[in-house]
C-alpha cells in the first residue's frame, strides 16, 4: 500500500490513484489496552463493515478505561503519570506489531501525536497537570514516533481534542508539527480540535493537508455537524474536510446530562456533515471501543467530559450504527462520488437540519431527518427521485413536480431519516 494523497480537486483523497473515502473508526486506546487476540477480532469486524481508517492515540488516552495489558510508552508506577526520561521500547515494539496487523487488513492509520492533556495552556491540562510533557521533550518525542511508525505510511494527527487559545499551547504544537514535517515530509498531517471549535492558527495552515473538526457529544450542540462543515469549507483555504469526532453511538451526553446517542443521532451527524462541506469522509465511534472498556477493571480516575459509563468493548463492537456508517462508504463508492458541493441554499427552508449537496456529475443528495415535502428553487427537468430509508436501506420511488423556477419533491412514505437521490435520466 502507498500513502494517501490529496485529490487534485482539493476536497477528497486518493489512494493508488483511486478515490478513497475516509471512513474511520475511533479506537484511541488500542495500543495501551487491547490484547493481541482482541485486536485481531476487532480488525476483522471493522474490515467486514467497510471501515478504511483507524484513529489511534500514540500516547495513553487520558480518559480511557483501565486495562490489564500494562504496557506504556514510558516508565510508570500507576499508568497515569510517566517518567519522560525513560522510554519503554516494549510498548513501541508491540504497537508496531498492531500497526502491521492493521495494514495487512488494508487499513490506513491515523496516529495522534500529542493529545491535549500533554500540552500546557489547553482546556485538558487545566483539568489535570499530571501528564504535561516538558517543552524540550516535544521534538525528541515526535521524532521517536516518526522513526517507529513512518514505515506504516500513517496520517499524523498532530493534535488531539485541543484548543489553541494560549501562546503556550501553540508553541508546543508548533514544535511537534515542525518536527513531523521535517522527519516525514510526504505524510498527510492534520489537527484534531475540540468540540465546537473552528480555529486553527494561520501559521499551521500551509503545513497541514486537511481539516478535522469535532461536532462532539453535547446533546444541545449537534447542529455543529453542519455548521462547522460549512465554516471550514467556506472560510479556510481549500482542503479536504472531515468530521473526525461526531457523537459516538451509545455515548452518554457530555457534562453528566442524562441520555445516550442512538443510531439515528449518529447517522444524522454523519450525513449532515457530508452534505455541508465535509465530504472527504467521516469518523465513527462506539462508547466502549474508543476507551476499550473491559469488565471488572478499575475505573479511570480522570473522568474527562462527564460521560455515562461505557458498555464492555465486546458489546460496543457490535453496535448496529457501525453498519450504517459502512453503508455510507459503500454508497459513495457505488455512486462514484468524487466531491459533494453544498447547495442547501436551493431548499425552500423548512429546517436547517435538512441538508442538500450536488455531485460534480449533477446529481443531488438531500438528507431528511423526518418525512416532508420539499421545494427546490431550481427546475430539475428530466430528473427522477428515490428515497433510501437509512435505518434499513429500503428504497422507494418518489414523485417530483417541476414548475417554473422550482421543483417539488413529494413526501416519501418512510418514517425514519432518509436520503433523497435526484438523478437525471
Amino acid at each position: 500500500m502507498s500513502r494517501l494523497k490529496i485529490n487534485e480537486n482539493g476536497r477528497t483523497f486518493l489512494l493508488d490513484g483511486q478515490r478513497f473515502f475516509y471512513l474511520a473508526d475511533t479506537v484511541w486506546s488500542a495500543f495501551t489496552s487491547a490484547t493481541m487476540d482482541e485486536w485481531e477480532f476487532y480488525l476483522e469486524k471493522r474490515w467486514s463493515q467497510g471501515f478504511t481508517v483507524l484513529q489511534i492515540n500514540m500516547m495513553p488516552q487520558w480518559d480511557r478505561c483501565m486495562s490489564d495489558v500494562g504496557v506504556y510508552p514510558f516508565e510508570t508506577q500507576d499508568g497515569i503519570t510517566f517518567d519522560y526520561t525513560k522510554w519503554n521500547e516494549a510498548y513501541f515494539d508491540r504497537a508496531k506489531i498492531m500497526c502491521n496487523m492493521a495494514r495487512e487488513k488494508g487499513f490506513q492509520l491515523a496516529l495522534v501525536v500529542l493529545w491535549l492533556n500533554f500540552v500546557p495552556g489547553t482546556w485538558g491540562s487545566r483539568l489535570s497537570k499530571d501528564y504535561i510533557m516538558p517543552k524540550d521533550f516535544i521534538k525528541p518525542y515526535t521524532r521517536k514516533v516518526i522513526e517507529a511508525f513512518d514505515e506504516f505510511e500513517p496520517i499524523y494527527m498532530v493534535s488531539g481534542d485541543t484548543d489553541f487559545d494560549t501562546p503556550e499551547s501553540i508553541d508546543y504544537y508548533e514544535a511537534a508539527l515542525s518536527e513531523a514535517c521535517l522527519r516525514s515530509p510526504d505524510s498527510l498531517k492534520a489537527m484534531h480540535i475540540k468540540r465546537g471549535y473552528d480555529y486553527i492558527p494561520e501559521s499551521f495552515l500551509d503545513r497541514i493537508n486537511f481539516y478535522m473538526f469535532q461536532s462532539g457529544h453535547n446533546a444541545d450542540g449537534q447542529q455543529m455537524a453542519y455548521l462547522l462543515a460549512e465554516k471550514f469549507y467556506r472560510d479556510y483555504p481549500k482542503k479536504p474536510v472531515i468530521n473526525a469526532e461526531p457523537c459516538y453511538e451509545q455515548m452518554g451526553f457530555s457534562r453528566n446530562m442524562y441520555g445516550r446517542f442512538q443510531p439515528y443521532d449518529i447517522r444524522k451527524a454523519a450525513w449532515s456533515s457530508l452534505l455541508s462541506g465535509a465530504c472527504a469522509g467521516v469518523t465513527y465511534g462506539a462508547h466502549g471501543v474508543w476507551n476499550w472498556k473491559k469488565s471488572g477493571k478499575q475505573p479511570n480516575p480522570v473522568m474527562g467530559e462527564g460521560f455515562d459509563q461505557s458498555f464492555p468493548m465486546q458489546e460496543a463492537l457490535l453496535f448496529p450504527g457501525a453498519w450504517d456508517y459502512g453503508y455510507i462508504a459503500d454508497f459513495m463508492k457505488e455512486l462514484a462520488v468524487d466531491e459533494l458541493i453544498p447547495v442547501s441554499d436551493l431548499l425552500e427552508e423548512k429546517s436547517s437540519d435538512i441538508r442538500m449537496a450536488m455531485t460534480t456529475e449533477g446529481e443531488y443528495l438531500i438528507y431528511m431527518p423526518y418525512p416532508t415535502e420539499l421545494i427546490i428553487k431550481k427546475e430539475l427537468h428530466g430528473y427522477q427521485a428515490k428515497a433510501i430509508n437509512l435505518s434499513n436501506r429500503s428504497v422507494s420511488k418518489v414523485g417530483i413536480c417541476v414548475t417554473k423556477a422550482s421543483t417539488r419533491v413529494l413526501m416519501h412514505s418512510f418514517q425514519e431519516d432518509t436520503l433523497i437521490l435526484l438523478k437525471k435520466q
Side-chain angles (χ1 to χ4, degrees):
M1 295 179 71
S2 59
R3 290 191 190 272
L4 277 182
K5 299 183 183 299
I6 305 300
N7 197 338
E8 62 183 14
N9 65 21
R11 293 297 185 188
T12 54
F13 297 104
L14 292 176
L15 182 64
D16 296 325
Q18 303 298 312
R19 298 183 189 93
F20 180 88
F21 186 77
Y22 183 110
L23 181 65
D25 188 39
T26 302
V27 59
W28 301 133
S29 311
F31 291 161
T32 56
S33 303
T35 68
M36 290 303 184
D37 286 345
E38 290 167 347
W39 186 238
E40 185 174 19
F41 180 78
Y42 166 84
L43 293 174
E44 181 66 26
K45 175 58 70 175
R46 290 299 189 242
W47 172 82
S48 72
Q49 292 168 323
F51 286 84
T52 58
V53 181
L54 304 179
Q55 294 181 177
I56 307 173
N57 194 348
M58 275 306 314
M59 291 286 287
Q61 182 74 17
W62 68 323
D63 51 356
R64 72 196 182 281
C65 294
M66 302 311 285
S67 170
D68 54 358
V69 171
V71 182
Y72 300 98
F74 304 96
E75 287 197 8
T76 178
Q77 297 298 314
D78 56 7
I80 301 295
T81 56
F82 303 100
D83 182 349
Y84 292 124
T85 67
K86 298 178 180 177
W87 301 106
N88 180 6
E89 295 296 342
Y91 173 87
F92 293 92
D93 291 342
R94 183 176 181 278
K96 285 193 286 186
I97 293 172
M98 296 173 75
C99 287
N100 190 60
M101 292 168 66
R103 289 289 278 177
E104 286 181 347
K105 292 294 290 185
F107 290 103
Q108 295 291 312
L109 298 168
L111 304 180
V112 179
V113 177
L114 202 58
W115 205 263
L116 83 159
N117 56 291
F118 299 101
V119 176
T122 63
W123 71 266
S125 66
R126 289 189 285 274
L127 294 181
S128 174
K129 299 185 182 301
D130 292 338
Y131 301 92
I132 294 176
M133 280 188 182
K135 173 69 180 302
D136 59 4
F137 184 66
I138 297 301
K139 287 195 173 187
Y141 161 70
T142 304
R143 182 162 61 251
K144 173 72 171 179
V145 168
I146 291 170
E147 288 173 352
F149 296 97
D150 211 49
E151 66 178 284
F152 304 109
E153 301 178 316
I155 297 163
Y156 292 108
M157 300 164 68
V158 178
S159 65
D161 202 17
T162 199
D163 50 24
F164 303 105
D165 292 346
T166 65
E168 195 171 23
S169 65
I170 294 173
D171 286 347
Y172 262 68
Y173 284 117
E174 169 59 38
L177 178 58
S178 62
E179 190 70 11
C181 290
L182 176 65
R183 303 291 173 178
S184 182
D186 296 328
S187 62
L188 297 187
K189 301 166 190 74
M191 295 287 186
H192 180 280
I193 57 180
K194 73 176 184 178
R195 182 204 66 84
Y197 200 67
D198 62 8
Y199 172 66
I200 297 175
E202 187 175 353
S203 60
F204 294 169
L205 296 182
D206 63 342
R207 290 173 290 167
I208 62 173
N209 304 98
F210 62 100
Y211 307 119
M212 291 179 152
F213 67 86
Q214 179 187 162
S215 56
H217 318 291
N218 280 32
D220 60 354
Q222 289 304 298
Q223 71 276 15
M224 289 296 173
Y226 56 83
L227 292 177
L228 290 173
E230 289 177 330
K231 172 72 174 179
F232 280 98
Y233 185 92
R234 180 186 64 235
D235 295 344
Y236 275 81
K238 187 176 184 180
K239 300 178 191 289
V241 185
I242 292 171
N243 188 347
E245 193 169 332
C247 53
Y248 291 169
E249 188 168 7
Q250 292 299 333
M251 178 75 94
F253 300 155
S254 63
R255 301 177 183 175
N256 297 303
M257 183 178 175
Y258 178 71
R260 291 179 184 267
F261 293 105
Q262 303 299 314
Y264 161 79
D265 302 299
I266 67 170
R267 290 195 301 266
K268 182 179 179 181
W271 286 104
S272 296
S273 296
L274 290 165
L275 302 187
S276 302
C279 67
V282 70
T283 297
Y284 171 80
H287 194 36
V289 172
W290 70 271
N291 49 353
W292 214 259
K293 165 70 173 176
K294 297 172 79 167
S295 298
K297 303 306 173 188
Q298 70 180 85
N300 191 321
V302 176
M303 295 308 295
E305 295 184 71
F307 306 122
D308 208 338
Q309 72 181 86
S310 306
F311 288 80
M313 171 273 299
Q314 295 90 338
E315 293 182 36
L317 191 56
L318 304 179
F319 287 164
W323 295 103
D324 291 338
Y325 272 52
Y327 172 74
I328 295 172
D330 190 63
F331 176 88
M332 299 289 273
K333 181 178 180 180
E334 289 296 316
L335 195 61
V337 174
D338 195 42
E339 180 182 354
L340 289 173
I341 303 161
V343 290
S344 291
D345 57 338
L346 289 179
L347 290 170
E348 187 174 282
E349 187 171 323
K350 286 178 177 285
S351 168
S352 58
D353 284 350
I354 302 173
R355 311 305 301 172
M356 181 174 177
M358 181 181 71
T359 72
T360 53
E361 301 300 317
E363 298 141 331
Y364 293 90
L365 298 175
I366 305 171
Y367 173 77
M368 301 178 65
Y370 307 104
T372 190
E373 185 173 277
L374 295 175
I375 301 296
I376 300 171
K377 294 178 286 188
K378 185 174 183 178
E379 297 177 28
L380 298 179
H381 292 288
Y383 278 75
Q384 292 184 358
K386 69 177 180 179
I388 304 167
N389 182 332
L390 293 173
S391 71
N392 61 18
R393 270 80 76 186
S394 299
V395 177
S396 170
K397 293 180 179 179
V398 181
I400 63 174
C401 298
V402 181
T403 58
K404 187 175 182 180
S406 70
T407 300
R408 183 161 59 101
V409 181
L410 305 184
M411 191 174 84
H412 60 79
S413 58
F414 296 133
Q415 297 162 36
E416 294 84 8
D417 58 322
T418 300
L419 187 70
I420 303 293
L421 173 61
L422 289 154
K423 196 170 185 178
K424 196 162 189 176
Q425 299 305 301

